[in-house]
Amino acid sequence: MLPPLWGLDAPLVAAAWGIAFLGFYGVNTASSDPIILLVAVVWLTNLLHRVGTAAMNRTVWYASYYRSHAFPMLLLVAALLFAAVWMGLYVVGAACMMYAIMPLILLFLSVFPMPVVLRNALRALALAEGCQAPACYFSFMIEPTEAFLQTAVFALGALFFLFLTERSSLRLNGRFLQGEKASFCTIASVVLFFCYWCGAFPAHTHHWTDVSSVFKTLILGLACLHLYRTRGTRLPLYLSFSIGWPALAFPAILALFFHSNPHFFF
């Protein structure tokens, strides 16, 4: 369980979806530097959130581990902060960083006091925007002002939002959503499934045709989220909390393997 404890689960999702978007947008050649920067920023954000939560709430499952490893955790946070700033200023360049402005703004806004639902929405959209940013930059067809308005990024953000909602319930209440909130998420999943299906298998004149592979992958993401909700209740709390992000990365990893095969699902 060491990778989740050291915050490596969320960067896995960022790397998987970031690379998958390169294929979704038809990018054949790209530098790995923006993906590395994306992973560093997500890892840094995840660790900061975990450290802050462990400091304020001793009941979370990783609190004792973070308190006993406070010095190496803070050292890692400092190293990631230095690496992210250095890569952003001197490696990636200003042209690519233009695509990171909106995710950083959304992430900054989520720090202020607000309802948990709104905070999860901002963070979900920020992560989706970050995953899409390298592909938008290397596609040479999507301007920074247009990247925020892409249909695919809102679709991915909706999937992330449902996941973060369940994860917040695990962190705050020690269990998955129940009652009316669980019913609301189920209805939202059904609506999203319908939207993803319309985007994945459109008519020839449909404007989503060029990113239909994104929606096919997101359908798998909804399936993984459903399994996480239904089967995660049978697992210990720490295990349910740990496998959440890898489950969300699984559809993107499948897309990486099979996107180039025209006879496969993608």
Side-chain angles (χ1 to χ4, degrees):
M1 307 307 294
L2 284 179
L5 282 172
W6 287 89
L8 287 169
D9 42 4
L12 171 66
V13 173
W17 283 98
I19 299 173
F21 260 102
L22 295 174
F24 295 152
Y25 286 5
V27 178
N28 297 320
T29 57
S31 169
S32 61
D33 293 336
I35 299 293
I36 295 174
L37 176 60
L38 171 64
V39 170
V41 172
V42 173
W43 193 3
L44 173 64
T45 304
N46 196 28
L47 275 181
L48 286 174
H49 179 262
R50 298 273 185 90
V51 169
T53 303
M56 294 183 294
N57 186 1
R58 297 188 178 187
T59 61
V60 293
W61 64 273
Y62 53 81
S64 59
Y65 185 86
Y66 272 49
R67 288 174 179 273
S68 61
H69 295 76
F71 178 74
M73 287 288 181
L74 294 177
L75 191 63
L76 179 58
V77 167
L80 287 171
L81 179 60
F82 173 80
V85 173
W86 178 74
M87 288 195 66
L89 295 178
Y90 300 107
V91 178
V92 173
C96 185
M97 287 300 295
M98 291 295 295
Y99 292 87
I101 292 178
M102 185 55 68
L104 292 176
I105 291 176
L106 294 173
L107 193 61
F108 174 75
L109 292 176
S110 69
V111 176
F112 294 97
M114 64 182 66
V116 176
V117 173
L118 182 55
R119 178 178 292 108
N120 286 337
L122 290 175
R123 290 176 177 174
L125 188 56
L127 180 58
E129 290 280 352
C131 292
Q132 180 196 233
C136 290
Y137 171 70
F138 287 114
S139 68
F140 299 108
M141 295 184 296
I142 304 176
E143 297 294 331
T145 54
E146 300 173 347
F148 178 73
L149 303 176
Q150 297 302 305
T151 308
V153 78
F154 285 105
L156 180 59
L159 178 63
F160 286 161
F161 170 73
L162 288 179
F163 169 72
L164 289 178
T165 302
E166 294 283 356
R167 193 174 179 84
S168 294
S169 179
L170 274 180
R171 188 179 69 252
L172 299 176
N173 306 319
R175 61 185 181 180
F176 287 90
L177 290 175
Q178 297 180 350
E180 295 181 356
K181 293 182 178 179
S183 300
F184 172 79
C185 286
T186 301
I187 294 173
S189 297
V190 172
V191 174
L192 282 178
F193 178 82
F194 176 76
C195 295
Y196 294 163
W197 185 272
C198 292
F201 305 100
H204 293 293
T205 57
H206 203 290
H207 67 284
W208 284 356
T209 306
D210 56 337
V211 289
S212 61
S213 54
V214 181
F215 294 92
K216 292 176 182 177
T217 309
L218 289 172
I219 289 175
L220 294 181
L222 281 178
C224 290
L225 181 60
H226 175 72
L227 290 175
Y228 178 60
R229 287 172 178 165
T230 55
R231 304 301 177 185
T233 55
R234 304 180 181 181
L235 301 174
L237 178 61
Y238 74 91
L239 189 57
S240 298
F241 200 84
S242 301
I243 66 173
W245 283 115
L248 213 60
F250 180 71
I253 293 174
L254 277 183
L256 297 179
F257 280 108
F258 299 113
H259 183 269
S260 60
N261 186 348
H263 302 291
F264 194 71
F265 178 73
F266 298 92

